[in-house]
Amino acid sequence: MQTVKMVVTGPFAAGKTEFIQTISEIAVVSTERQISDFTSTVKSSTTVAMDFGRITVDDDLVLYLFGTPGQKRFDFMWEILAEGMLGFIVLIDSTRSETFREAKQIIDIFRSYADTPFVVAANKQDLEDAWPPEDIRIVLELEPWVKVLPCVAKDKESVKTVLLELLYTILESYDHN
Amino acid sequence: MALKGRLRDISLTQLLNLVKLARKTGALTIEGDQGRVELYFKEGKIVHASLNGDGDLARLLLKFGRVREHQLRTVLQQLSAPNDRELGLRLINAGYISRNDILYAIRRHTSDVVLKALSWEDGKFHFEPNKPPPPERIVVPINLDSIVLEGDQRQKELATLREELPDLNVALRFTENPSTNLSKIKLSRDEWRVISFINPRNTIAQIAKYSGLDEFQIRRIVLKLMRNGLVEVVGQPTGRPRPAQAAPQGVGAGAPSSALSSGGAPSSHRPKAPAVEKNVVRRLIKFIRGL
């Protein structure tokens, strides 16, 4: 049986766990613990290890989704998770512009690990204060060919669209090489 | 959608770049310790700016010496309600000013407001799409490129000025024996204003406040006066003035600094294909479509 892996990364409280939960066929395996530092004002519990979701295509093929830990102090795990990935999704909370700088840094770090296709998902587009994806592209200084997609992590169709767009990007990468 | 945030997270340079590239129309309001700035844009160009509600034509024409007070008073008495367009037309018809005087004053004011706001390190911002400028104002579209570039150069110069004059909470006094020939020094209106406040009891920060000068302006003026040997810091100076030095040429020209830059060097080319068969990707696509 062949297994392939995709990584869902992004700043703290961007909605990575919810994104994986929405599409995974199994209850997402994650190590959620109460946190006691200042970040607890943003979220009551956060991912201190990682999220793990699964999509079984058939008997021969399984897709695993890994969510990276949201807090900076666990970034040592990012490189381990990035190894052998098919591609990665950078999830951003579109309503919290104070996290855009961190998102930019995460994108740069992941691109330095592996020259792998990726897309940016501008989450929480259902909220009034959300920055439009095209504006996020400009402030993140992303190249025109990087897809910045609108996303609502709790909506299955939206998550499917993001995953499909990443897969289309991966398909296109065969033609460019 | 309204864009909200803080300047410490997304700099004004980045916001102006966004407005320009996305050709946005609307109003950007910034509220900081130093006041409230309102910038209005039309299709990516700035058309009106105000700091703490200033920006009316009468004040601008006076500020930039384009009209005399009695001329302005004469025309203002004829107006029933304040309206810049009407005021401008009447001043032109009376032969007091030309159209170019109006354009000069508005452009200069807009540029000054943006440059002032570019020096703010923090403040809440809010962009309201399609909000038009106040109807009583004259709008003059100005390209953002040159203002942003000047702001970028100012920030670099400000860093140098801060190094040379680190503390603004010190007072100044006139030197007993000026080292240069005073007749050769030409002073601007703002420089004269600063000189009028020089007194060992006034700190530089207080002089700036009285004169309505921002940090960049007061540092530049004081350092010029110090370099020319006109004034000196009272007591123990906290920074030793250095001779004037030219700003580095070409550094960062055309490339506004980015608060988001992480300093890393990510690859800018398209990523490589993964080490799985293309068919595997197709199977994943087919399956996820059907979910």
Side-chain angles (χ1 to χ4, degrees):
Chain A
M1 187 177 68
Q2 187 170 8
T3 61
V4 287
K5 174 170 83 173
M6 282 183 187
V7 170
V8 182
T9 186
F12 175 74
K16 299 181 289 291
T17 305
E18 190 168 42
F19 182 95
I20 297 172
Q21 263 169 354
T22 300
I23 198 81
S24 174
E25 67 195 23
I26 56 166
V28 169
V29 181
S30 65
T31 316
E32 295 265 348
R33 299 223 180 99
Q34 290 292 317
I35 51 173
S36 55
D37 58 19
F38 71 98
T39 48
S40 60
T41 56
V42 181
K43 200 177 158 191
S44 60
S45 68
T46 192
T47 314
V48 294
M50 61 181 181
D51 295 315
F52 171 68
R54 191 181 71 194
I55 299 172
T56 305
V57 175
D58 52 37
D59 291 345
D60 296 325
L61 181 61
V62 175
L63 169 67
Y64 290 125
L65 293 171
F66 288 92
T68 60
Q71 289 162 292
K72 195 84 180 152
R73 63 176 182 267
F74 298 105
D75 62 3
F76 64 92
M77 290 188 65
W78 294 357
E79 192 165 5
I80 299 167
L81 288 173
E83 206 179 310
M85 63 186 169
L86 192 63
F88 63 97
I89 295 159
V90 183
L91 207 64
I92 295 171
D93 182 341
S94 310
T95 67
R96 292 176 60 220
S97 55
E98 67 270 25
T99 66
F100 293 174
R101 187 200 309 258
E102 191 188 344
K104 164 87 175 155
Q105 287 167 346
I106 292 171
I107 291 169
D108 290 348
I109 289 169
F110 267 82
R111 291 175 87 175
S112 71
Y113 292 151
D115 205 3
T116 311
F118 73 102
V119 295
V120 175
N123 192 21
K124 305 189 186 177
Q125 286 293 312
D126 54 331
L127 301 182
E128 198 187 334
D129 287 348
W131 284 53
E134 276 315 301
D135 290 351
I136 291 175
R137 171 200 299 287
I138 292 171
V139 296
L140 294 183
E141 297 171 344
L142 293 169
E143 297 89 339
W145 48 266
V146 176
K147 290 176 184 169
V148 184
L149 308 158
C151 176
V152 177
K154 60 189 176 194
D155 177 57
K156 191 175 178 183
E157 285 307 311
S158 179
V159 172
K160 269 173 64 180
T161 303
V162 172
L163 282 177
L164 284 169
E165 286 298 337
L166 175 58
L167 288 164
Y168 297 145
T169 305
I170 293 166
L171 259 191
E172 285 163 16
S173 68
Y174 289 94
D175 301 330
H176 290 120
N177 289 276
Chain B
M1 274 187 253
L3 307 180
K4 288 180 187 173
R6 297 199 72 107
L7 290 185
R8 67 170 180 233
D9 301 315
I10 296 176
S11 68
L12 182 56
T13 303
Q14 286 179 292
L15 289 172
L16 296 179
N17 206 30
L18 170 63
V19 167
K20 187 189 75 176
L21 291 176
R23 293 173 59 85
K24 285 188 181 292
T25 297
L28 177 67
T29 305
I30 307 165
E31 284 175 86
D33 292 341
Q34 295 156 79
R36 177 189 168 96
V37 159
E38 284 180 42
L39 308 176
Y40 293 86
F41 304 94
K42 189 172 181 193
E43 291 172 0
K45 287 187 175 175
I46 187 160
V47 294
H48 177 68
S50 74
L51 172 64
N52 297 324
D54 70 356
D56 61 282
L57 186 62
R59 207 183 319 197
L60 302 189
L61 290 169
L62 268 181
K63 183 181 169 189
F64 297 117
R66 299 282 142 164
V67 72
R68 290 174 189 275
E69 213 163 336
H70 72 271
Q71 295 172 330
L72 193 60
R73 218 174 15 243
T74 309
V75 173
L76 280 172
Q77 281 166 355
Q78 300 163 6
L79 288 176
S80 52
N83 181 310
D84 286 355
R85 200 174 299 270
E86 183 78 26
L87 173 68
L89 277 174
R90 291 198 183 214
L91 285 168
I92 292 171
N93 290 340
Y96 295 147
I97 60 167
S98 68
R99 185 175 169 272
N100 282 343
D101 288 321
I102 295 176
L103 291 177
Y104 171 85
I106 294 175
R107 284 195 182 122
R108 174 97 187 265
H109 170 75
T110 304
S111 172
D112 283 354
V113 171
V114 176
L115 290 172
K116 212 162 253 183
L118 279 167
S119 69
W120 293 5
E121 286 172 358
D122 195 16
K124 279 188 196 169
F125 70 80
H126 172 95
F127 183 84
E128 201 175 322
N130 302 317
K131 184 181 174 185
E136 68 275 16
R137 300 284 169 250
I138 296 173
V139 294
V140 178
I142 303 170
N143 208 316
L144 283 167
D145 284 334
S146 56
I147 302 180
V148 170
L149 191 59
E150 192 182 338
D152 201 39
Q153 284 166 347
R154 265 199 184 200
Q155 286 305 103
K156 288 182 182 121
E157 196 182 335
L158 182 60
T160 310
L161 295 176
R162 280 178 178 157
E163 207 175 288
E164 292 185 38
L165 185 68
D167 192 358
L168 294 185
N169 291 310
V170 291
L172 298 169
R173 70 176 170 211
F174 292 104
T175 47
E176 305 245 332
N177 300 302
S179 55
T180 45
N181 186 349
L182 292 182
S183 62
K184 287 185 180 171
I185 302 172
K186 286 184 178 170
L187 297 174
S188 69
R189 185 189 293 221
D190 283 341
E191 287 161 350
W192 277 116
R193 198 179 300 151
V194 170
I195 281 181
S196 71
F197 282 115
I198 287 179
N199 180 313
R201 282 172 300 182
N202 291 338
T203 65
I204 300 172
Q206 285 168 330
I207 295 174
K209 198 176 172 188
Y210 299 146
S211 320
L213 299 171
D214 63 26
E215 185 197 349
F216 176 81
Q217 292 167 317
I218 191 72
R219 282 183 192 273
R220 191 143 80 163
I221 289 173
V222 169
L223 277 167
K224 178 184 172 184
L225 299 177
M226 288 171 79
R227 285 167 185 157
N228 282 308
L230 276 174
V231 299
E232 61 189 10
V233 169
V234 175
Q236 193 64 35
T238 47
R240 191 167 58 86
R242 294 193 310 220
Q245 61 185 63
Q249 294 296 305
V251 179
S257 62
S258 164
L260 292 185
S261 294
S262 60
S267 57
S268 58
H269 56 85
R270 286 175 183 272
K272 286 179 186 161
V276 296
E277 292 292 317
K278 201 172 177 179
N279 189 40
V280 170
V281 180
R282 289 208 178 100
R283 281 164 66 195
L284 284 167
I285 289 172
K286 193 177 169 193
F287 184 80
I288 291 172
R289 271 185 190 153
L291 277 177

